[in-house]
């Protein structure tokens, strides 16, 4: 009982520190882990060793994966590869189904490109399409934002899902098929809600400042296939390990996330101009390193916090009484609700994914939770409610000049609908597996 009180207190402390006192997640996670360890009877030395062990084990491969995933997105965004994907999908779906087009575009581009960068990259396209088609800018923007968020929360190689796989000790390839199903359900739920409320979003939105519009060199010829290949080939490679035996040397090589993403990066290199090629590539590495460094550190510290929870065996003891029957559905619902709560109160999907995974990781090793379903539930829940504590909320507000009240009734409510749509799919899959 004392251990449970300590765990709940430390989680509350973590939330308050990050949201109320604006403490950075790194020291907040470390101090919470230290307090939890000491409160459950460990010494400073033992807790420190637990924190360091969790930090090292989490980052022994995830660091490079996050770096290469960020690099892949950086090259696609800067060379115009993301625009190729956007334009071809728009041509495929046509003007009538532009909201669906924007959702598909956001899902694909949101896999390698950071959400804020992806939205600003596609903003000029949204403005042009709105003027030509008559669709509300807000409808198109919400459709794009929704799918960017879903990809960011559920689909590797974005940092959050990779961190979840690492902390839960899962192969990345094993979480991709289930997460894709959940992501599709989440997006469909969001599109239905947008369709029902289209008339509410018909307000004309002012044009953003010109500096948000970037000009890129148009990609020609066979190179137009490379942006798609750089996204889909790594995902296919990582999935091979879950389909075929990893004892095959070739399968073991290409299914490893580090090498799969490096293959994706290699496929983007022809998109870069040959002039000053080495210098430009070095610049991409430097920019990717600076953008991914803090995410890598937060991921490692999240793993450290989870290691302390695992070593105390508090969470594991809470579920020893859950056996058969309908109570086992809690093993899906609890991770979803925890993740939903963390995103809503902290404003960070990545922090939510890492923290929730750290809390429930001991239940994976004990067999109390289904590993892949738990990962999917955490991802769906992390979509949470995007509101005033999210940096993207304010970015969206500024570039479209939308009032806070209107944005709370549109963007914030939409993300909640999307989260519960994804969560419902996880529950449905759980019951299907239980039959």
């Amino acid at each position: 009982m004392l251990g449970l009180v300590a765990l709940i207190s430390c989680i509350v402390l973590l939330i308050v520190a990050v949201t109320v006192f604006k403490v950075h997640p790194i020291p907040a996670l470390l101090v919470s882990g230290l307090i939890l360890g000491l409160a459950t009877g460990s010494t400073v030395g033992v807790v420190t060793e637990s924190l360091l062990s969790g930090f090292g084990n989490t980052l022994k491969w995830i660091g490079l994966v996050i770096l290469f995933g960020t690099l892949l997105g950086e090259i696609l965004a800067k060379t115009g590869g993301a625009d190729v994907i956007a334009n071809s999908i728009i041509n495929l779906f046509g003007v009538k189904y532009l909201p669906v087009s924007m959702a598909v575009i956001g899902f694909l581009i949101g896999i390698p490109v950071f959400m804020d960068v992806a939205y600003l990259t596609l903003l000029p396209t949204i403005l042009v399409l709105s003027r030509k088609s008559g669709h509300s800018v807000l409808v198109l923007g919400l459709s794009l934002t929704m799918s960017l968020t879903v990809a960011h929360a559920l689909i590797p190689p974005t940092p959050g899902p990779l961190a979840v796989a690492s902390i839960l000790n899962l192969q990345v390839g094993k979480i991709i098929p289930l997460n894709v199903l959940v992501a599709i359900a989440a997006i469909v739920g969001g599109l239905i809600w947008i369709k029902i409320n289209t008339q509410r979003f018909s307000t004309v939105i002012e044009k953003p400042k010109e500096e948000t519009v970037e000009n890129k060199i148009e990609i020609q010829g066979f190179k137009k296939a490379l942006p798609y290949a750089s996204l889909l080939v790594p995902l296919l490679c990582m999935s091979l390990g879950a389909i075929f035996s990893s004892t095959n040397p070739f399968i073991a090589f290409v299914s490893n996330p580090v090498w799969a993403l490096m293959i994706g990066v290699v496929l983007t290199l022809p998109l870069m101009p040959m002039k000053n090629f080495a210098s430009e590539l070095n610049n991409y590495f430097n920019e990717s390193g600076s953008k991914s460094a803090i995410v890598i550190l937060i991921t490692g510290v999240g793993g450290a916090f989870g290691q302390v929870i695992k070593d105390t065996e508090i969470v594991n003891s809470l579920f020893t009484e859950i056996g058969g029957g309908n109570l086992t559905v809690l093993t899906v619902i609890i991770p979803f609700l925890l993740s939903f709560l963390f995103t809503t109160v902290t404003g960070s999907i990545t922090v939510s994914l890492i923290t929730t995974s750290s809390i429930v990781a001991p239940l994976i090793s004990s067999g109390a939770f289904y590993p892949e379903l738990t990962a999917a539930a955490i991802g769906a829940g992390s979509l949470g409610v995007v509101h005033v504590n999210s940096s993207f909320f304010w970015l969206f507000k500024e570039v479209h000049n939308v009032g806070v009240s209107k944005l709370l009734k549109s963007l914030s409510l939409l993300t909640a609908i999307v989260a519960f749509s994804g969560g419902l799919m996880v529950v449905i899959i759980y019951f299907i597996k239980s039959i």
Side-chain angles (χ1 to χ4, degrees):
M1 187 64 182
L2 180 61
L4 174 60
V5 172
L7 176 61
I8 294 175
S9 299
C10 285
I11 292 174
V12 172
L13 173 66
L14 177 62
I15 293 173
V16 171
V18 173
T19 58
V20 178
F21 297 105
K22 309 300 180 185
V23 178
H24 195 278
I26 290 177
L29 284 164
L30 282 175
V31 172
S32 297
L34 176 62
I35 293 174
L36 177 61
L38 295 177
T40 52
S42 296
T43 65
V44 173
V46 171
V47 178
T48 302
E49 184 61 32
S50 184
L51 288 168
L52 293 176
S53 174
F55 185 87
N57 290 336
T58 302
L59 291 186
K60 64 182 178 182
W61 65 270
I62 196 71
L64 284 175
V65 173
I66 292 175
L67 173 62
F68 285 130
T70 306
L71 176 62
L72 175 61
E74 190 76 13
I75 296 175
L76 286 177
K78 295 291 179 65
T79 60
D83 291 340
V84 169
I85 297 173
N87 292 333
S88 59
I89 292 177
I90 288 167
N91 292 334
L92 176 66
F93 284 90
V95 173
K96 182 180 179 180
Y97 300 103
L98 274 182
V100 178
S101 300
M102 300 313 298
V104 175
I105 290 166
F107 181 71
L108 289 176
I109 294 179
I111 293 172
V113 183
F114 278 110
M115 186 173 172
D116 293 16
V117 175
Y119 194 84
L120 290 175
T121 299
L122 294 169
L123 182 58
T125 304
I126 295 175
L127 296 172
V128 172
L129 290 173
S130 177
R131 287 196 295 269
K132 290 183 177 180
S133 68
H135 284 282
S136 166
V137 175
L138 191 53
V139 168
L140 298 182
L142 289 172
S143 300
L144 178 63
T145 297
M146 166 190 66
S147 54
L148 285 173
T149 307
V150 169
H152 182 71
L154 283 161
I155 310 299
T158 51
L162 290 173
V164 172
S166 176
I167 293 171
L168 299 185
N169 197 27
L170 290 169
Q171 291 183 15
V172 175
K174 287 188 175 181
I175 71 171
I176 290 176
L178 184 57
N179 278 24
V180 168
L181 283 177
V182 173
I184 292 172
I187 291 173
V188 169
L191 283 173
I192 292 173
W193 186 82
I194 291 174
K195 178 67 175 177
I196 293 172
N197 294 276
T198 296
Q199 295 303 317
R200 293 173 50 203
F201 306 142
S202 60
T203 306
V204 177
I205 307 298
E206 293 182 9
K207 184 179 179 179
K209 299 177 182 179
E210 290 297 324
E211 55 263 29
T212 60
V213 180
E214 297 181 11
N215 295 316
K216 297 184 180 70
I217 299 173
E218 187 176 354
I219 297 173
Q220 300 287 346
F222 80 94
K223 292 183 179 180
K224 286 188 175 181
L226 294 178
Y228 285 104
S230 66
L231 287 184
L232 300 178
V233 169
L235 291 177
L236 177 62
C237 288
M238 287 187 283
S239 299
L240 288 177
I243 301 172
F244 301 102
S245 173
S246 59
T247 57
N248 183 296
F250 176 76
I251 297 296
F253 171 70
V254 298
S255 64
N256 185 290
V258 174
W259 306 123
L261 284 171
M262 186 175 286
I263 291 170
V265 170
V266 170
L267 290 172
T268 65
L269 297 183
L271 300 176
M272 297 173 53
M274 294 305 297
K275 185 179 180 180
N276 300 321
F277 179 85
S279 176
E280 285 296 314
L281 184 57
N282 287 338
N283 288 336
Y284 283 132
F285 263 106
N286 290 334
E287 291 178 17
S288 302
S290 62
K291 288 181 178 180
S292 61
I294 196 66
V295 177
I296 292 172
L297 289 173
I298 293 175
T299 301
V301 174
F305 180 61
Q307 187 65 44
V308 174
I309 297 174
K310 183 177 181 179
D311 290 346
T312 59
E313 297 187 351
I314 299 170
V315 180
N316 192 28
S317 64
L318 298 178
F319 287 85
T320 53
E321 299 303 319
I322 294 183
N326 294 329
L327 275 181
T328 55
V329 75
L330 293 176
T331 62
V332 170
I333 294 175
I334 288 175
F336 173 85
L337 292 178
L338 278 174
S339 187
F340 188 93
L341 171 66
F342 274 112
T343 294
T344 303
V345 299
T346 67
S348 172
I349 290 175
T350 303
V351 170
S352 172
L353 289 167
I354 293 169
T355 307
T356 307
S357 300
S358 301
I359 292 172
V360 303
L363 299 167
I364 299 295
S365 58
S366 71
F369 280 14
Y370 296 116
E372 290 81 10
L373 277 177
T374 300
I378 292 171
S382 72
L383 295 166
V385 178
V386 174
H387 59 98
V388 294
N389 62 356
S390 167
S391 61
F392 185 83
F393 180 92
W394 298 105
L395 181 149
F396 194 98
K397 176 187 181 301
E398 291 303 315
V399 298
H400 291 307
N401 194 28
V402 186
V404 171
S405 176
K406 188 178 185 68
L407 209 51
L408 288 171
K409 295 174 183 178
S410 54
L411 178 60
S412 301
L413 187 54
L414 172 62
T415 56
I417 295 293
V418 170
F420 280 100
S421 298
L424 178 61
M425 175 56 75
V426 177
V427 173
I428 291 172
I429 295 172
Y430 164 81
F431 281 115
I432 291 174
K433 286 176 67 72
S434 300
I435 295 176

